[in-house]
Amino acid sequence: MSRQVVPLTDKKIKNAKPAEKTYKLFDGGGLYVEIRKSGKKIFRLKYKNKTYTIGEYPIVTLAEARKKAEEIKKNLFLGIDIRKKGYTLEEVTREFLTKAEKELSPKYFKSQVRKLENYVLPFIGGKEIEKITKADIVKILKNVKNIKVPLSKPTDKTEATRRVFILLRQIFKYAHTNDYIQANIIDKININDIIPKRKVEHIEAIIDEEELKHIVKDIFLYDRGYVLTRLAFKFLILTALRAGNIRNLRWEWIDFKERVIVYPANTMKAKKEFRLPLTNSLVEILKEAKKYSRGKIVFHSPKEPNKQLSDMTFNMILRRLGIENHKPHGFRSSFSTICYKYMHEHRFSAEVIETQLAHSVGNAVMRAYMRGDFLEERRKLLEWWEKFILSDF
């Protein structure tokens, strides 16, 4: 005897919380809501061993989803498959770019379009996206190094290949979400098996500003894996704190009213209490983390709420993005180098920069005469840093 499905209610969908893994709430007749780790709630209809994406809740209401599901099943009864067919990679790409243009800076958007027009679309743009194979994609990626493009300065084709791969992964994810393809072939490709890993000798910091901004952009757009890990990495980049201070952050240390985090002395390398000023963006990251955090630690392990993330957590994201020439600790060096370079612009002293890095400033006599810990100055410095590092968004 088959199990009877209790129809969903708007309240049940609204109150559904994200979990460590994506799960489903069934409404009956093949209609269900997919609750993703990110918190998104997507209506889908299962039919003939396929799925059709109806839309995101609450943009699409439960009533609208049921109506659409009935329409789809009626078409199926008449022999009409409503899955999108016949669209070329270029058509899907142009649709993807139209939506992406609203979210990206003009400069970064143009660079993305150039990559596609130089390395991808001339070769497989006219092919139906559903018929593109893994071999087609691998061939495209291997061919990047052979294509000459007009540039004002030499470019690293290995890095260009990695960026084309990341861009194609975003496009195929968009295509899969919107039912242009049944399966996402990009997920089966390991970029490190196609091009050699960049050999790095003790390089931890990237001081080339454009390259650094590209890397930060990739990290902020990365939407796979454990959500608290992604939020923790953003927090690390925007604060320039040591990774250990991000991983061991406790909720009890956070004062949202005063917009400050107070780290106890025994948690800091210098064995001195440290106050971290919170910007609007940092507060938003913490509020987002609150939706998923279940223990005393803010960015905790996916399996144990009161256990820190692994010390290899951030390195894994960099590897998955194909970034081999940067380490999490390097963001501190990048912060330091760039903040010193632009002191004429943000107008904050070396003492402010070093204090944000939780470094001891000057000798004992000098520290005795220093006026506090520059909390408000550092808040403004972090706002400047955020604006600088995210200027390509």
Side-chain angles (χ1 to χ4, degrees):
M1 186 175 178
S2 60
R3 181 170 61 89
Q4 186 175 4
V5 176
V6 178
L8 293 173
T9 62
D10 184 72
K11 183 178 180 180
K12 186 174 182 180
I13 300 173
K14 184 177 181 180
N15 292 338
K17 303 296 183 184
E20 293 177 12
K21 294 183 179 181
T22 297
Y23 66 95
K24 302 172 183 177
L25 297 176
F26 295 91
D27 187 58
L31 179 65
Y32 63 90
V33 179
E34 183 178 276
I35 312 296
R36 297 181 178 175
K37 291 184 290 184
S38 64
K40 285 189 175 183
K41 302 171 183 180
I42 310 296
F43 282 113
R44 291 184 181 274
L45 178 69
K46 185 174 181 180
Y47 67 99
K48 292 186 175 179
N49 296 320
K50 299 179 182 180
T51 56
Y52 179 83
T53 302
I54 294 175
E56 183 178 348
Y57 176 88
I59 298 173
V60 176
T61 66
L62 177 58
E64 290 170 339
R66 286 170 173 164
K67 183 177 179 181
K68 184 65 176 179
E70 290 304 314
E71 178 186 328
I72 292 169
K73 287 188 280 188
K74 181 178 179 181
N75 284 328
L76 289 172
F77 178 77
L78 297 173
I80 304 171
D81 189 342
I82 40 66
R83 180 172 294 279
K84 299 170 182 176
K85 291 184 176 181
Y87 286 83
T88 65
L89 174 62
E90 180 159 5
E91 288 173 325
V92 177
T93 296
R94 298 299 177 191
E95 184 178 309
F96 167 82
L97 290 172
T98 298
K99 296 181 182 297
E101 187 174 13
K102 300 174 184 177
E103 303 172 3
L104 307 177
S105 69
K107 182 179 178 181
Y108 188 77
F109 175 75
K110 287 179 181 178
S111 73
Q112 299 294 74
V113 173
R114 281 198 302 271
K115 288 186 187 74
L116 292 165
E117 292 181 342
N118 287 332
Y119 303 119
V120 180
L121 297 182
F123 306 99
I124 57 173
K127 190 170 183 177
E128 286 185 26
I129 190 167
E130 183 69 63
K131 295 181 180 179
I132 291 175
T133 65
K134 186 172 72 171
D136 291 329
I137 300 298
V138 170
K139 185 176 180 181
I140 286 292
L141 295 172
K142 287 184 175 180
N143 193 45
V144 168
K145 66 179 182 296
N146 301 319
I147 300 172
K148 294 182 179 180
V149 295
L151 292 171
S152 58
K153 60 181 180 179
T155 183
D156 181 350
K157 284 304 185 77
T158 298
E159 189 63 27
T161 303
R162 292 188 185 279
R163 298 199 178 282
V164 170
F165 170 72
I166 291 170
L167 187 51
L168 281 170
R169 186 168 63 194
Q170 292 170 353
I171 292 169
F172 272 75
K173 180 180 178 181
Y174 173 84
H176 188 233
T177 299
N178 289 279
D179 290 299
Y180 288 107
I181 54 177
Q182 179 68 29
N184 189 350
I185 57 171
I186 299 290
D187 285 342
K188 300 178 181 179
I189 298 175
N190 184 346
I191 187 63
N192 292 323
D193 292 336
I194 298 173
I195 56 176
K197 293 183 179 180
R198 179 183 290 179
K199 293 182 180 180
V200 183
E201 295 182 1
H202 307 294
I203 296 178
E204 287 194 335
I206 292 178
I207 57 176
D208 181 279
E209 295 169 18
E210 291 306 311
E211 184 177 3
L212 181 62
K213 289 178 183 180
H214 278 307
I215 287 175
V216 171
K217 178 78 173 179
D218 291 342
I219 292 170
F220 269 67
L221 290 177
Y222 183 76
D223 61 354
R224 304 173 71 188
Y226 183 44
V227 64
L228 287 180
T229 299
R230 304 199 306 267
L231 292 172
F233 209 162
K234 292 179 182 179
F235 205 82
L236 179 147
I237 292 170
L238 295 183
T239 61
L241 290 184
R242 294 179 177 89
N245 294 132
I246 305 299
R247 294 187 295 107
N248 75 351
L249 178 59
R250 293 337 196 235
W251 287 111
E252 63 188 277
W253 302 343
I254 304 172
D255 187 333
F256 283 102
K257 183 178 179 180
E258 297 297 326
R259 292 163 59 84
V260 66
I261 295 174
V262 181
Y263 281 89
N266 63 358
T267 66
M268 302 301 296
K269 185 176 181 180
K271 301 304 177 185
K272 181 181 177 182
E273 182 182 273
F274 178 79
R275 294 197 301 167
L276 173 68
L278 295 176
T279 64
N280 290 339
S281 294
L282 293 175
V283 169
E284 287 304 311
I285 290 173
L286 291 173
K287 287 182 177 179
E288 184 68 14
K290 195 71 173 177
K291 298 177 184 178
Y292 307 94
S293 187
R294 307 188 313 280
K296 296 179 180 179
I297 298 175
V298 177
F299 306 112
H300 60 67
S301 162
K303 294 182 179 180
E304 299 181 46
N306 293 310
K307 183 178 180 182
Q308 294 182 23
L309 291 168
S310 163
D311 58 0
M312 291 300 293
T313 294
F314 304 126
N315 283 309
M316 287 191 292
I317 289 182
L318 292 175
R319 282 202 296 269
R320 287 168 183 167
L321 287 170
I323 299 169
E324 300 293 335
N325 62 333
H326 202 48
K327 304 299 179 190
H329 190 78
F331 286 104
R332 287 171 55 79
S333 299
S334 299
F335 172 85
S336 176
T337 301
I338 290 172
C339 284
Y340 273 107
K341 178 180 178 180
Y342 287 96
M343 286 176 74
H344 66 282
E345 181 178 306
H346 57 66
R347 298 185 181 279
F348 292 109
S349 66
E351 288 82 6
V352 174
I353 297 170
E354 294 301 320
T355 302
Q356 179 54 35
L357 291 165
H359 288 162
S360 294
V361 181
N363 57 32
V365 175
M366 179 181 176
R367 290 195 294 273
Y369 283 92
M370 281 176 59
R371 52 185 182 88
D373 62 356
F374 309 103
L375 185 70
E376 292 308 317
E377 291 94 333
R378 288 189 290 121
R379 195 189 311 277
K380 293 176 182 177
L381 177 62
L382 290 180
E383 289 171 350
W384 176 88
W385 168 247
E386 176 187 324
K387 184 177 180 180
F388 178 89
I389 204 69
L390 300 179
S391 60
D392 274 346
F393 274 66

